[in-house]
Amino acid sequence: MARILLIETSTAVLSVALSENGTVVASRECREPRLQASLTAPLVKEVLDSKGLAVRDCDAICVGKGPGSYTGLRVGVSTAKGLAFGAGLPLIAIGSLDILAQAAIDGNHTVIPMIDARRMEVYTAVFSPAGEQLSPVEAKIIGPDSFADYLEKGPVLFIGDGALKCKDVITHPNASFREAWPLASNMAPLAEKAFNEGRFEDLAYFEPFYLKDFVATVSRKSILP
């Protein structure tokens, strides 16, 4: 049985959970945006304290690796790496789109998780009704014909914080939409599988999967005379 600390910070929803043998036994969430830097460590402590445990009592640390928010990913991965290094534990990384898909696989729908990027762009991939990933992760600008080949074949569920903004653009009758976020509690079976297969990251070199380069914006107030 593996006891795994789970951390997900790739979107506006911060979540931490603890799993034992693939089952969640404790979890915390914060849905206030931009609090990853200040609340990730306290939520980790809350989750462990609720079970009377310390980090060293875990068998591994698992983190959502992205794509998603640049700042959120930096915080989550830095925290996970620090905890793993300090306690001498292996690090597991799970894709944020995989976490979203895990929550939606039902054997009936093709599942297309979407994490909001900007304007009509999303980070996305396609998963079969059985959970097999059918396409690579990409940053995609959504238009009326997006995913038409999958929609013609049967029901498709678009899920994520980027899904609802596509509802007025993708109008095929086989399309359904659900707002959701990648949550630490949905990482449990994926983390357990990775642990059992020995799929661990190199602590020294592991970096988040940003997919796109970070672009800093400059306030107009700072450039106006």
Side-chain angles (χ1 to χ4, degrees):
M1 180 180 76
R3 178 183 290 137
I4 304 175
L5 180 64
L6 312 160
I7 300 170
E8 224 302 319
T9 60
S10 66
T11 65
V13 176
L14 159 64
S15 57
V16 177
L18 183 71
S19 68
E20 294 181 354
N21 201 28
T23 300
V24 174
V25 296
S27 66
R28 297 287 189 278
E29 293 179 15
C30 174
R31 293 177 179 263
E32 293 294 326
R34 295 183 292 277
L35 292 180
Q36 287 95 337
S38 60
L39 283 187
T40 300
L43 288 192
V44 166
K45 186 176 187 303
E46 281 189 26
V47 165
L48 292 173
D49 285 351
S50 72
K51 307 303 290 185
L53 300 170
V55 176
R56 63 179 177 275
D57 296 316
C58 299
D59 297 300
I61 308 294
C62 180
V63 67
K65 68 178 180 181
S69 159
Y70 183 93
T71 302
L73 288 171
R74 291 297 295 178
V75 171
V77 169
S78 296
T79 301
K81 288 176 69 172
L83 293 171
F85 180 80
L89 299 177
L91 178 68
I92 298 167
I94 304 294
S96 302
L97 294 171
D98 298 83
I99 301 167
L100 273 172
Q102 173 67 31
I105 297 299
D106 61 4
N108 298 314
H109 293 76
T110 296
V111 176
I112 302 182
M114 292 177 159
I115 291 177
D116 193 17
R118 59 178 182 179
R119 299 184 179 90
M120 288 310 298
E121 188 173 31
V122 295
Y123 301 125
T124 190
V126 179
F127 292 78
S128 74
E132 176 188 2
Q133 186 170 334
L134 303 177
S135 73
V137 176
E138 62 177 331
K140 186 177 182 69
I141 296 174
I142 302 301
D145 297 325
S146 297
F147 307 107
D149 47 347
Y150 295 102
L151 287 162
E152 289 299 325
K153 295 175 183 176
V156 176
L157 173 62
F158 297 93
I159 182 171
D161 67 349
L164 293 190
K165 73 178 184 180
C166 302
K167 191 174 183 178
D168 292 334
V169 178
I170 300 175
T171 58
H172 195 283
N174 281 337
S176 58
F177 302 83
R178 185 193 307 171
E179 187 175 39
W181 293 265
L183 300 177
S185 56
N186 292 326
M187 297 167 70
L190 300 173
E192 183 74 13
K193 185 174 188 292
F195 183 89
N196 291 336
E197 294 174 355
R199 289 189 279 115
F200 304 127
E201 304 297 332
D202 187 318
L203 276 178
Y205 296 103
F206 176 70
E207 293 288 338
F209 176 41
Y210 296 120
L211 188 58
K212 292 170 60 178
D213 291 335
F214 174 68
V215 178
T217 58
V218 179
S219 170
R220 288 179 57 85
K221 292 181 180 179
S222 67
I223 59 176
L224 293 175

mmCIF file of all heavy atoms in Angstrom, residues 1-6 17-21 23-28 41-61 83 87 89:
data_model
loop_
_atom_site.group_PDB
_atom_site.id
_atom_site.type_symbol
_atom_site.label_atom_id
_atom_site.label_comp_id
_atom_site.label_asym_id
_atom_site.label_seq_id
_atom_site.Cartn_x
_atom_site.Cartn_y
_atom_site.Cartn_z
ATOM 1 N N MET A 1 0.839 -1.198 0.000
ATOM 2 C CA MET A 1 0.000 0.000 0.000
ATOM 3 C C MET A 1 0.870 1.244 0.000
ATOM 4 O O MET A 1 1.796 1.342 0.791
ATOM 5 C CB MET A 1 -0.910 0.016 1.235
ATOM 6 C CG MET A 1 -1.824 1.234 1.309
ATOM 7 S SD MET A 1 -2.885 1.247 2.764
ATOM 8 C CE MET A 1 -1.670 1.725 4.009
ATOM 9 N N ALA A 2 0.562 2.169 -0.906
ATOM 10 C CA ALA A 2 1.331 3.412 -0.980
ATOM 11 C C ALA A 2 0.523 4.558 -0.385
ATOM 12 O O ALA A 2 -0.672 4.696 -0.646
ATOM 13 C CB ALA A 2 1.694 3.721 -2.427
ATOM 14 N N ARG A 3 1.176 5.349 0.415
ATOM 15 C CA ARG A 3 0.578 6.584 0.948
ATOM 16 C C ARG A 3 1.227 7.741 0.194
ATOM 17 O O ARG A 3 2.443 7.942 0.262
ATOM 18 C CB ARG A 3 0.824 6.709 2.449
ATOM 19 C CG ARG A 3 0.254 7.993 3.048
ATOM 20 C CD ARG A 3 0.587 8.094 4.527
ATOM 21 N NE ARG A 3 -0.162 7.115 5.303
ATOM 22 C CZ ARG A 3 0.349 6.393 6.284
ATOM 23 N NH1 ARG A 3 1.643 6.510 6.596
ATOM 24 N NH2 ARG A 3 -0.404 5.562 6.969
ATOM 25 N N ILE A 4 0.418 8.492 -0.558
ATOM 26 C CA ILE A 4 0.960 9.505 -1.460
ATOM 27 C C ILE A 4 0.324 10.862 -1.167
ATOM 28 O O ILE A 4 -0.905 10.990 -1.078
ATOM 29 C CB ILE A 4 0.713 9.128 -2.936
ATOM 30 C CG1 ILE A 4 1.306 7.740 -3.236
ATOM 31 C CG2 ILE A 4 1.329 10.162 -3.866
ATOM 32 C CD1 ILE A 4 1.014 7.233 -4.641
ATOM 33 N N LEU A 5 1.165 11.887 -1.012
ATOM 34 C CA LEU A 5 0.709 13.260 -0.865
ATOM 35 C C LEU A 5 0.532 13.851 -2.257
ATOM 36 O O LEU A 5 1.452 13.811 -3.080
ATOM 37 C CB LEU A 5 1.722 14.069 -0.066
ATOM 38 C CG LEU A 5 1.383 15.540 0.185
ATOM 39 C CD1 LEU A 5 0.133 15.668 1.052
ATOM 40 C CD2 LEU A 5 2.563 16.252 0.835
ATOM 41 N N LEU A 6 -0.641 14.413 -2.527
ATOM 42 C CA LEU A 6 -1.016 14.886 -3.862
ATOM 43 C C LEU A 6 -1.190 16.399 -3.853
ATOM 44 O O LEU A 6 -1.905 16.944 -3.004
ATOM 45 C CB LEU A 6 -2.324 14.225 -4.297
ATOM 46 C CG LEU A 6 -2.396 12.696 -4.119
ATOM 47 C CD1 LEU A 6 -3.839 12.235 -4.104
ATOM 48 C CD2 LEU A 6 -1.610 12.007 -5.221
ATOM 49 N N ALA A 17 -4.293 16.638 -1.392
ATOM 50 C CA ALA A 17 -4.982 15.453 -0.886
ATOM 51 C C ALA A 17 -3.953 14.418 -0.442
ATOM 52 O O ALA A 17 -2.761 14.515 -0.760
ATOM 53 C CB ALA A 17 -5.908 14.866 -1.952
ATOM 54 N N LEU A 18 -4.439 13.431 0.275
ATOM 55 C CA LEU A 18 -3.618 12.309 0.713
ATOM 56 C C LEU A 18 -4.344 11.038 0.307
ATOM 57 O O LEU A 18 -5.552 10.889 0.561
ATOM 58 C CB LEU A 18 -3.422 12.343 2.226
ATOM 59 C CG LEU A 18 -2.520 11.253 2.827
ATOM 60 C CD1 LEU A 18 -1.065 11.505 2.447
ATOM 61 C CD2 LEU A 18 -2.681 11.193 4.349
ATOM 62 N N SER A 19 -3.623 10.136 -0.356
ATOM 63 C CA SER A 19 -4.236 8.875 -0.766
ATOM 64 C C SER A 19 -3.511 7.702 -0.136
ATOM 65 O O SER A 19 -2.301 7.758 0.123
ATOM 66 C CB SER A 19 -4.225 8.734 -2.286
ATOM 67 O OG SER A 19 -2.897 8.574 -2.779
ATOM 68 N N GLU A 20 -4.258 6.647 0.112
ATOM 69 C CA GLU A 20 -3.696 5.383 0.590
ATOM 70 C C GLU A 20 -4.241 4.271 -0.291
ATOM 71 O O GLU A 20 -5.464 4.105 -0.401
ATOM 72 C CB GLU A 20 -4.043 5.155 2.064
ATOM 73 C CG GLU A 20 -3.396 6.173 3.002
ATOM 74 C CD GLU A 20 -3.721 5.933 4.460
ATOM 75 O OE1 GLU A 20 -4.554 5.038 4.755
ATOM 76 O OE2 GLU A 20 -3.157 6.645 5.321
ATOM 77 N N ASN A 21 -3.335 3.567 -0.956
ATOM 78 C CA ASN A 21 -3.713 2.488 -1.861
ATOM 79 C C ASN A 21 -4.682 2.966 -2.945
ATOM 80 O O ASN A 21 -5.619 2.263 -3.323
ATOM 81 C CB ASN A 21 -4.339 1.334 -1.068
ATOM 82 C CG ASN A 21 -4.290 0.028 -1.837
ATOM 83 O OD1 ASN A 21 -3.418 -0.186 -2.664
ATOM 84 N ND2 ASN A 21 -5.245 -0.841 -1.562
ATOM 85 N N THR A 23 -6.859 5.405 -2.781
ATOM 86 C CA THR A 23 -8.098 5.982 -2.265
ATOM 87 C C THR A 23 -7.796 7.235 -1.457
ATOM 88 O O THR A 23 -6.899 7.220 -0.607
ATOM 89 C CB THR A 23 -8.841 4.968 -1.377
ATOM 90 O OG1 THR A 23 -9.166 3.802 -2.154
ATOM 91 C CG2 THR A 23 -10.122 5.572 -0.810
ATOM 92 N N VAL A 24 -8.535 8.301 -1.707
ATOM 93 C CA VAL A 24 -8.322 9.560 -0.992
ATOM 94 C C VAL A 24 -8.837 9.427 0.444
ATOM 95 O O VAL A 24 -9.984 9.023 0.672
ATOM 96 C CB VAL A 24 -9.042 10.724 -1.700
ATOM 97 C CG1 VAL A 24 -8.955 12.005 -0.883
ATOM 98 C CG2 VAL A 24 -8.428 10.942 -3.084
ATOM 99 N N VAL A 25 -7.984 9.792 1.402
ATOM 100 C CA VAL A 25 -8.367 9.723 2.825
ATOM 101 C C VAL A 25 -8.440 11.102 3.473
ATOM 102 O O VAL A 25 -8.957 11.242 4.580
ATOM 103 C CB VAL A 25 -7.396 8.813 3.616
ATOM 104 C CG1 VAL A 25 -7.474 7.376 3.108
ATOM 105 C CG2 VAL A 25 -5.956 9.328 3.541
ATOM 106 N N ALA A 26 -7.929 12.126 2.794
ATOM 107 C CA ALA A 26 -8.017 13.498 3.297
ATOM 108 C C ALA A 26 -7.786 14.448 2.135
ATOM 109 O O ALA A 26 -7.003 14.136 1.222
ATOM 110 C CB ALA A 26 -6.982 13.755 4.398
ATOM 111 N N SER A 27 -8.453 15.599 2.155
ATOM 112 C CA SER A 27 -8.258 16.567 1.072
ATOM 113 C C SER A 27 -8.663 17.961 1.532
ATOM 114 O O SER A 27 -9.463 18.126 2.453
ATOM 115 C CB SER A 27 -9.070 16.177 -0.170
ATOM 116 O OG SER A 27 -10.461 16.249 0.088
ATOM 117 N N ARG A 28 -8.072 18.952 0.872
ATOM 118 C CA ARG A 28 -8.398 20.352 1.102
ATOM 119 C C ARG A 28 -8.390 21.069 -0.246
ATOM 120 O O ARG A 28 -7.597 20.732 -1.136
ATOM 121 C CB ARG A 28 -7.387 21.025 2.038
ATOM 122 C CG ARG A 28 -7.339 20.449 3.448
ATOM 123 C CD ARG A 28 -8.569 20.836 4.255
ATOM 124 N NE ARG A 28 -8.427 20.471 5.663
ATOM 125 C CZ ARG A 28 -8.658 19.253 6.150
ATOM 126 N NH1 ARG A 28 -9.031 18.271 5.339
ATOM 127 N NH2 ARG A 28 -8.513 19.018 7.446
ATOM 128 N N ALA A 41 1.590 25.395 1.089
ATOM 129 C CA ALA A 41 2.236 24.760 2.247
ATOM 130 C C ALA A 41 1.268 24.605 3.433
ATOM 131 O O ALA A 41 1.228 23.535 4.057
ATOM 132 C CB ALA A 41 3.476 25.543 2.659
ATOM 133 N N PRO A 42 0.463 25.635 3.773
ATOM 134 C CA PRO A 42 -0.499 25.449 4.862
ATOM 135 C C PRO A 42 -1.519 24.337 4.603
ATOM 136 O O PRO A 42 -1.889 23.604 5.527
ATOM 137 C CB PRO A 42 -1.188 26.813 4.965
ATOM 138 C CG PRO A 42 -0.157 27.788 4.479
ATOM 139 C CD PRO A 42 0.549 27.065 3.375
ATOM 140 N N LEU A 43 -1.977 24.200 3.339
ATOM 141 C CA LEU A 43 -2.937 23.131 3.042
ATOM 142 C C LEU A 43 -2.281 21.761 3.154
ATOM 143 O O LEU A 43 -2.919 20.792 3.582
ATOM 144 C CB LEU A 43 -3.539 23.322 1.659
ATOM 145 C CG LEU A 43 -4.539 24.463 1.488
ATOM 146 C CD1 LEU A 43 -5.273 24.342 0.164
ATOM 147 C CD2 LEU A 43 -5.536 24.509 2.623
ATOM 148 N N VAL A 44 -1.013 21.662 2.756
ATOM 149 C CA VAL A 44 -0.275 20.403 2.936
ATOM 150 C C VAL A 44 -0.240 20.035 4.420
ATOM 151 O O VAL A 44 -0.500 18.889 4.803
ATOM 152 C CB VAL A 44 1.161 20.522 2.382
ATOM 153 C CG1 VAL A 44 2.030 19.353 2.857
ATOM 154 C CG2 VAL A 44 1.135 20.568 0.857
ATOM 155 N N LYS A 45 0.063 21.012 5.252
ATOM 156 C CA LYS A 45 0.123 20.764 6.696
ATOM 157 C C LYS A 45 -1.240 20.348 7.238
ATOM 158 O O LYS A 45 -1.344 19.419 8.053
ATOM 159 C CB LYS A 45 0.631 22.002 7.428
ATOM 160 C CG LYS A 45 0.877 21.794 8.924
ATOM 161 C CD LYS A 45 1.460 23.021 9.576
ATOM 162 C CE LYS A 45 1.871 22.755 11.013
ATOM 163 N NZ LYS A 45 0.749 22.256 11.850
ATOM 164 N N GLU A 46 -2.301 21.020 6.786
ATOM 165 C CA GLU A 46 -3.647 20.681 7.242
ATOM 166 C C GLU A 46 -4.004 19.240 6.901
ATOM 167 O O GLU A 46 -4.564 18.504 7.724
ATOM 168 C CB GLU A 46 -4.675 21.615 6.613
ATOM 169 C CG GLU A 46 -4.773 22.985 7.264
ATOM 170 C CD GLU A 46 -5.950 23.767 6.722
ATOM 171 O OE1 GLU A 46 -6.932 23.138 6.270
ATOM 172 O OE2 GLU A 46 -5.889 25.019 6.739
ATOM 173 N N VAL A 47 -3.712 18.831 5.670
ATOM 174 C CA VAL A 47 -4.041 17.479 5.239
ATOM 175 C C VAL A 47 -3.284 16.440 6.062
ATOM 176 O O VAL A 47 -3.864 15.452 6.540
ATOM 177 C CB VAL A 47 -3.736 17.308 3.731
ATOM 178 C CG1 VAL A 47 -3.717 15.834 3.332
ATOM 179 C CG2 VAL A 47 -4.766 18.054 2.902
ATOM 180 N N LEU A 48 -1.991 16.658 6.249
ATOM 181 C CA LEU A 48 -1.191 15.703 7.024
ATOM 182 C C LEU A 48 -1.603 15.702 8.493
ATOM 183 O O LEU A 48 -1.733 14.637 9.115
ATOM 184 C CB LEU A 48 0.293 16.030 6.882
ATOM 185 C CG LEU A 48 0.882 15.796 5.480
ATOM 186 C CD1 LEU A 48 2.308 16.323 5.419
ATOM 187 C CD2 LEU A 48 0.852 14.316 5.110
ATOM 188 N N ASP A 49 -1.829 16.886 9.054
ATOM 189 C CA ASP A 49 -2.239 16.978 10.461
ATOM 190 C C ASP A 49 -3.567 16.269 10.705
ATOM 191 O O ASP A 49 -3.793 15.697 11.782
ATOM 192 C CB ASP A 49 -2.358 18.441 10.894
ATOM 193 C CG ASP A 49 -1.006 19.116 11.101
ATOM 194 O OD1 ASP A 49 0.018 18.407 11.069
ATOM 195 O OD2 ASP A 49 -0.989 20.357 11.282
ATOM 196 N N SER A 50 -4.451 16.315 9.724
ATOM 197 C CA SER A 50 -5.764 15.696 9.900
ATOM 198 C C SER A 50 -5.672 14.187 10.096
ATOM 199 O O SER A 50 -6.590 13.564 10.644
ATOM 200 C CB SER A 50 -6.672 16.011 8.699
ATOM 201 O OG SER A 50 -6.274 15.291 7.544
ATOM 202 N N LYS A 51 -4.576 13.607 9.635
ATOM 203 C CA LYS A 51 -4.364 12.160 9.803
ATOM 204 C C LYS A 51 -3.252 11.852 10.790
ATOM 205 O O LYS A 51 -2.846 10.694 10.954
ATOM 206 C CB LYS A 51 -4.037 11.525 8.445
ATOM 207 C CG LYS A 51 -5.041 11.817 7.343
ATOM 208 C CD LYS A 51 -6.452 11.388 7.720
ATOM 209 C CE LYS A 51 -6.616 9.890 7.767
ATOM 210 N NZ LYS A 51 -8.023 9.505 8.010
ATOM 211 N N GLY A 52 -2.721 12.898 11.458
ATOM 212 C CA GLY A 52 -1.656 12.692 12.431
ATOM 213 C C GLY A 52 -0.350 12.233 11.814
ATOM 214 O O GLY A 52 0.399 11.452 12.419
ATOM 215 N N LEU A 53 -0.046 12.742 10.620
ATOM 216 C CA LEU A 53 1.123 12.291 9.866
ATOM 217 C C LEU A 53 2.082 13.441 9.588
ATOM 218 O O LEU A 53 1.711 14.617 9.644
ATOM 219 C CB LEU A 53 0.687 11.671 8.535
ATOM 220 C CG LEU A 53 -0.229 10.446 8.605
ATOM 221 C CD1 LEU A 53 -0.754 10.101 7.221
ATOM 222 C CD2 LEU A 53 0.510 9.251 9.212
ATOM 223 N N ALA A 54 3.322 13.066 9.271
ATOM 224 C CA ALA A 54 4.327 14.002 8.782
ATOM 225 C C ALA A 54 4.670 13.611 7.344
ATOM 226 O O ALA A 54 4.309 12.522 6.881
ATOM 227 C CB ALA A 54 5.576 13.946 9.659
ATOM 228 N N VAL A 55 5.374 14.493 6.632
ATOM 229 C CA VAL A 55 5.736 14.204 5.242
ATOM 230 C C VAL A 55 6.516 12.892 5.155
ATOM 231 O O VAL A 55 6.294 12.082 4.248
ATOM 232 C CB VAL A 55 6.567 15.361 4.645
ATOM 233 C CG1 VAL A 55 7.023 15.021 3.231
ATOM 234 C CG2 VAL A 55 5.764 16.657 4.637
ATOM 235 N N ARG A 56 7.398 12.647 6.103
ATOM 236 C CA ARG A 56 8.227 11.439 6.065
ATOM 237 C C ARG A 56 7.412 10.151 6.215
ATOM 238 O O ARG A 56 7.915 9.055 5.946
ATOM 239 C CB ARG A 56 9.302 11.497 7.157
ATOM 240 C CG ARG A 56 8.755 11.534 8.578
ATOM 241 C CD ARG A 56 9.868 11.558 9.605
ATOM 242 N NE ARG A 56 9.346 11.657 10.966
ATOM 243 C CZ ARG A 56 9.020 12.796 11.564
ATOM 244 N NH1 ARG A 56 9.189 13.935 10.929
ATOM 245 N NH2 ARG A 56 8.536 12.789 12.801
ATOM 246 N N ASP A 57 6.151 10.271 6.654
ATOM 247 C CA ASP A 57 5.296 9.089 6.772
ATOM 248 C C ASP A 57 4.685 8.681 5.440
ATOM 249 O O ASP A 57 4.016 7.648 5.349
ATOM 250 C CB ASP A 57 4.166 9.356 7.778
ATOM 251 C CG ASP A 57 4.694 9.581 9.184
ATOM 252 O OD1 ASP A 57 5.592 8.816 9.608
ATOM 253 O OD2 ASP A 57 4.222 10.527 9.851
ATOM 254 N N CYS A 58 4.875 9.505 4.413
ATOM 255 C CA CYS A 58 4.373 9.185 3.076
ATOM 256 C C CYS A 58 5.389 8.337 2.322
ATOM 257 O O CYS A 58 6.553 8.252 2.695
ATOM 258 C CB CYS A 58 4.070 10.464 2.304
ATOM 259 S SG CYS A 58 2.804 11.506 3.070
ATOM 260 N N ASP A 59 4.915 7.729 1.227
ATOM 261 C CA ASP A 59 5.795 6.926 0.381
ATOM 262 C C ASP A 59 6.231 7.680 -0.872
ATOM 263 O O ASP A 59 7.207 7.293 -1.522
ATOM 264 C CB ASP A 59 5.079 5.633 -0.042
ATOM 265 C CG ASP A 59 4.744 4.750 1.146
ATOM 266 O OD1 ASP A 59 5.678 4.334 1.856
ATOM 267 O OD2 ASP A 59 3.543 4.500 1.377
ATOM 268 N N ALA A 60 5.507 8.747 -1.227
ATOM 269 C CA ALA A 60 5.854 9.539 -2.411
ATOM 270 C C ALA A 60 5.097 10.863 -2.367
ATOM 271 O O ALA A 60 4.098 11.009 -1.653
ATOM 272 C CB ALA A 60 5.513 8.784 -3.692
ATOM 273 N N ILE A 61 5.592 11.808 -3.155
ATOM 274 C CA ILE A 61 4.913 13.085 -3.385
ATOM 275 C C ILE A 61 4.500 13.117 -4.850
ATOM 276 O O ILE A 61 5.292 12.775 -5.736
ATOM 277 C CB ILE A 61 5.839 14.288 -3.100
ATOM 278 C CG1 ILE A 61 6.491 14.176 -1.715
ATOM 279 C CG2 ILE A 61 5.064 15.596 -3.252
ATOM 280 C CD1 ILE A 61 5.546 14.268 -0.563
ATOM 281 N N LEU A 83 9.529 19.154 -0.661
ATOM 282 C CA LEU A 83 9.062 18.139 0.273
ATOM 283 C C LEU A 83 9.697 16.786 0.001
ATOM 284 O O LEU A 83 10.113 16.073 0.923
ATOM 285 C CB LEU A 83 7.536 18.025 0.201
ATOM 286 C CG LEU A 83 6.737 19.235 0.688
ATOM 287 C CD1 LEU A 83 5.259 19.065 0.349
ATOM 288 C CD2 LEU A 83 6.915 19.429 2.196
ATOM 289 N N ALA A 87 12.341 14.944 2.645
ATOM 290 C CA ALA A 87 11.939 13.701 3.297
ATOM 291 C C ALA A 87 12.549 12.464 2.639
ATOM 292 O O ALA A 87 12.299 11.343 3.096
ATOM 293 C CB ALA A 87 10.423 13.586 3.285
ATOM 294 N N LEU A 89 11.880 11.288 -0.415
ATOM 295 C CA LEU A 89 10.805 10.540 -1.070
ATOM 296 C C LEU A 89 10.869 10.702 -2.586
ATOM 297 O O LEU A 89 11.345 11.721 -3.090
ATOM 298 C CB LEU A 89 9.443 11.046 -0.582
ATOM 299 C CG LEU A 89 9.156 10.915 0.915
ATOM 300 C CD1 LEU A 89 7.799 11.533 1.239
ATOM 301 C CD2 LEU A 89 9.198 9.463 1.351
#
